[in-house]
């Protein structure tokens, strides 16, 4: 490869960005999207090409929070796809949302993480909060006037949510919250925090309760941003609660009703992670194809062409799975847990494996930051870990399989 390839960062050229990503549109996947969903995807892709992707490399290099990138999406009215119009949303479903996150992740994975975290913070308020809480907090999250965080993970309670130690003790008609959370996306700057705590550890999951916290309340403190492998444009931090006074009207649902909120939140977050995986696979493919095309024209060497052909097929499979399961979630009264686990595990594994394969195809150039492929690899790793590790997903899939066998025999 010629060093000239180093000047061909796909993300810096909106026209080239759109051309190479449109070349990856497949009729088989597009057939699963209706006219509205296709229009959402097109609108998001335009904003990403113009305002998100060109900032991605610098945000990664400088560990700079992607505020402007999220604002561009919010100003275009694309940040509230799962919310009704009266809360500043668009009233779309999970399929449109999945397609949007895929597009954002293809341009800047860190921006997709901020984007989905805003939804993850706002959604429990809409689902279980009062009308007053929804009107007070959700429009600010969707517009970007406020940043949100979903505070579940603790040092000794990651995938096992039922073992949370952060405690909420009744006090003066409300609660006092004490404990700590770790690995909280946007935790260092969150204005709105959805915190899950236990009102009674002896009750396990039946003691888990969800609260809306204002980031300015006394007793709430934060650690500095953690140094991470990837997603450098999104911050991750610890949160500490020292007798934080929480008014009773900031409780979501009923005391002990937080488990259902966790499970509903996890469904949304696993769709988000799966969409990131597909988007990162597309990014790795498109950046590799751009480099090879610049060097060899539209017909790269046979070995590279063969490897790209195999990768294209796997990306199509991932998109079909993502859109199909998102459609199931839109249609089902009870989310299909086994299908969601298959989607999350398969699509996030795809992101990692596609980035690794793209680096192999590019040889020594795959490791160079200028091409952005190594960034895909670094960004993809955490998608296999958060929102339920892929090892946990495999256990859930096996459990779902055993249940299905028992029901049919």
């Amino acid at each position: 490869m010629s060093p000239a390839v180093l000047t061909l960062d796909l993300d810096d050229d909106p026209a080239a960005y759109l051309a190479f990503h449109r070349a990856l549109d497949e009729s088989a996947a597009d057939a699963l999207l209706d006219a509205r969903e296709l229009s959402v995807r097109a609108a998001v892709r335009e904003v990403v090409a113009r305002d998100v992707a060109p900032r991605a490399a610098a945000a990664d290099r400088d560990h700079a929070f992607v505020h402007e990138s999220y604002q561009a999406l919010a100003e275009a009215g694309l940040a509230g796809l799962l919310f009704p119009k009266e809360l500043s949303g668009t009233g779309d479903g999970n399929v449109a949302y999945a397609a949007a996150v895929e597009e954002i992740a293809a341009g800047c994975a860190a921006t997709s993480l901020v984007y989905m975290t805003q939804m993850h913070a706002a959604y429990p308020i809409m689902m279980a909060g009062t009308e007053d809480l929804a009107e007070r907090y959700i429009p600010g999250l969707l517009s970007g006037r406020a940043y949100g965080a979903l505070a579940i993970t603790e040092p000794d309670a990651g995938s096992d949510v039922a073992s949370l130690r952060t405690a909420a003790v009744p006090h003066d008609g409300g609660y006092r919250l004490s404990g700590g959370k770790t690995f909280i996306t946007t935790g260092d700057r969150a204005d709105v925090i959805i915190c899950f705590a236990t009102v009674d550890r002896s009750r396990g999951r039946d003691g888990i309760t969800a609260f809306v916290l204002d980031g300015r309340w006394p007793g709430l403190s934060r650690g500095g941003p953690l140094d991470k492998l990837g997603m450098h444009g999104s911050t991750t931090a610890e949160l500490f609660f020292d007798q934080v006074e929480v008014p009773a009207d900031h409780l979501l649902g009923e005391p002990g009703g937080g488990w259902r909120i966790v499970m509903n939140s996890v469904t949304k977050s696993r769709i988000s992670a799966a969409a990131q995986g597909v988007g990162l696979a597309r990014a790795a493919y498109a950046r590799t194809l751009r480099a090879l095309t610049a060097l060899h024209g539209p017909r790269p060497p046979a070995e590279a062409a063969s490897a790209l052909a195999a990768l294209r097929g796997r990306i199509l499979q991932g998109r079909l799975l993502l859109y199909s399961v998102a459609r199931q979630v839109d249609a089902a009264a009870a989310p299909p847990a086994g299908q969601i686990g298959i989607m999350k595990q398969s699509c996030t594994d795809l992101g990692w494996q596609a980035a690794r394969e793209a680096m192999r195809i590019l040889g020594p150039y795959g490791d160079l930051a200028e091409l952005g492929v190594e960034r895909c690899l670094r960004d993809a790793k955490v998608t296999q870990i958060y929102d339920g590790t892929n090892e946990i997903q495999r256990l859930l899939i096996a459990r779902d399989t055993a249940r299905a066998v028992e029901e049919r025999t």
Side-chain angles (χ1 to χ4, degrees):
M1 287 192 182
S2 163
V5 76
L6 301 183
T7 67
L8 299 174
D9 187 348
L10 180 63
D11 298 344
D12 287 338
D13 184 344
Y17 182 94
L18 289 171
F20 276 86
H21 281 280
R22 284 170 180 156
L24 272 170
D25 288 342
E26 304 277 5
S27 59
D30 289 358
L32 298 184
L33 304 179
D34 63 25
R36 168 62 186 174
E37 291 153 359
L38 288 167
S39 71
V40 168
R41 185 182 73 178
V44 173
R45 185 179 291 174
E46 290 282 347
V47 175
V48 169
R50 183 182 66 247
D51 297 314
V52 176
R55 295 185 172 109
D60 177 73
R61 182 187 64 242
D62 301 335
H63 293 232
F65 187 75
V66 290
H67 174 75
E68 293 84 358
S69 296
Y70 181 76
Q71 292 298 319
L73 291 159
E75 289 169 7
L78 296 167
L81 297 181
L82 293 176
F83 299 86
K85 293 180 180 179
E86 56 266 27
L87 291 175
S88 303
T90 61
D92 287 289
N94 286 285
V95 180
Y97 172 75
V101 175
E102 177 194 331
E103 289 301 326
I104 300 165
C108 177
T111 300
S112 74
L113 183 51
V114 173
Y115 179 92
M116 72 193 218
T117 300
Q118 294 292 91
M119 190 281 296
H120 297 168
Y123 190 78
I125 303 174
M126 181 181 72
M127 180 177 68
T130 63
E131 184 177 340
D132 178 67
L133 285 176
E135 292 175 352
R136 189 184 313 181
Y137 291 114
I138 291 176
L141 290 168
L142 303 187
S143 69
R145 295 194 308 272
Y147 283 104
L150 192 66
I152 300 177
T153 303
E154 299 179 3
D156 297 316
S159 298
D160 183 13
V161 178
S163 63
L164 293 180
R165 291 180 178 272
T166 297
V169 179
H171 176 76
D172 287 346
Y175 292 84
R176 277 184 172 169
L177 198 67
S178 296
K181 301 289 183 178
T182 192
F183 301 121
I184 306 304
T185 303
T186 325
D188 62 315
R189 66 183 62 228
D191 305 289
V192 183
I193 299 164
I194 309 303
C195 183
F196 291 85
T198 181
V199 296
D200 185 346
R201 283 203 72 209
S202 69
R203 294 171 58 191
R205 68 176 61 177
D206 292 331
I208 295 173
T209 305
F211 301 89
V212 182
L213 308 186
D214 188 305
R216 299 166 296 181
W217 284 349
L220 169 61
S221 59
R222 314 149 193 268
L226 301 173
D227 197 10
K228 304 174 297 184
L229 174 69
M231 300 288 188
H232 291 164
S234 167
T235 50
T236 305
E238 294 178 297
L239 296 175
F240 306 100
F241 312 106
D242 182 11
Q243 301 290 309
V244 177
E245 300 276 355
V246 184
D249 63 1
H250 278 60
L251 186 150
L252 294 178
E254 299 295 325
W259 181 258
R260 181 179 64 85
I261 298 173
V262 169
M263 291 298 98
N264 277 280
S265 298
V266 161
T267 295
K268 301 300 183 188
S269 63
R270 288 175 182 168
I271 291 173
S272 302
Q276 285 183 308
V278 176
L280 282 161
R282 273 184 44 204
Y285 182 102
R287 291 166 187 169
T288 301
L289 182 62
R290 159 80 161 179
L292 293 174
T293 301
L295 288 167
H296 304 290
R299 299 182 182 277
E303 192 279 332
S306 177
L308 284 174
L311 195 52
R312 177 180 166 185
R314 291 168 63 191
I315 293 169
L316 174 57
Q317 291 169 349
R319 290 175 105 176
L320 291 170
L321 178 59
L322 172 66
Y323 298 166
S324 296
V325 175
R327 185 75 69 195
Q328 279 186 288
V329 174
D330 277 334
Q339 297 295 303
I340 290 168
I342 292 170
M343 171 197 64
K344 194 275 179 180
Q345 174 253 306
S346 298
C347 292
T348 56
D349 282 351
L350 169 65
W352 169 259
Q353 293 161 2
R356 189 175 61 188
E357 177 67 356
M359 289 183 68
R360 186 194 70 78
I361 294 169
L362 289 170
Y365 291 91
D367 190 44
L368 294 176
E370 288 87 347
L371 289 182
V373 175
E374 59 83 32
R375 186 168 79 245
C376 293
L377 188 76
R378 289 187 289 104
D379 288 344
K381 188 58 195 175
V382 73
T383 69
Q384 298 176 299
I385 298 170
Y386 56 39
D387 299 314
T389 68
N390 283 4
E391 289 74 18
I392 291 295
Q393 299 310 311
R394 293 181 183 99
L395 290 175
L396 294 174
I397 295 164
R399 185 184 304 166
D400 186 72
T401 302
R403 185 181 300 114
V405 170
E406 290 174 356
E407 291 173 352
R408 289 164 174 77
T409 55

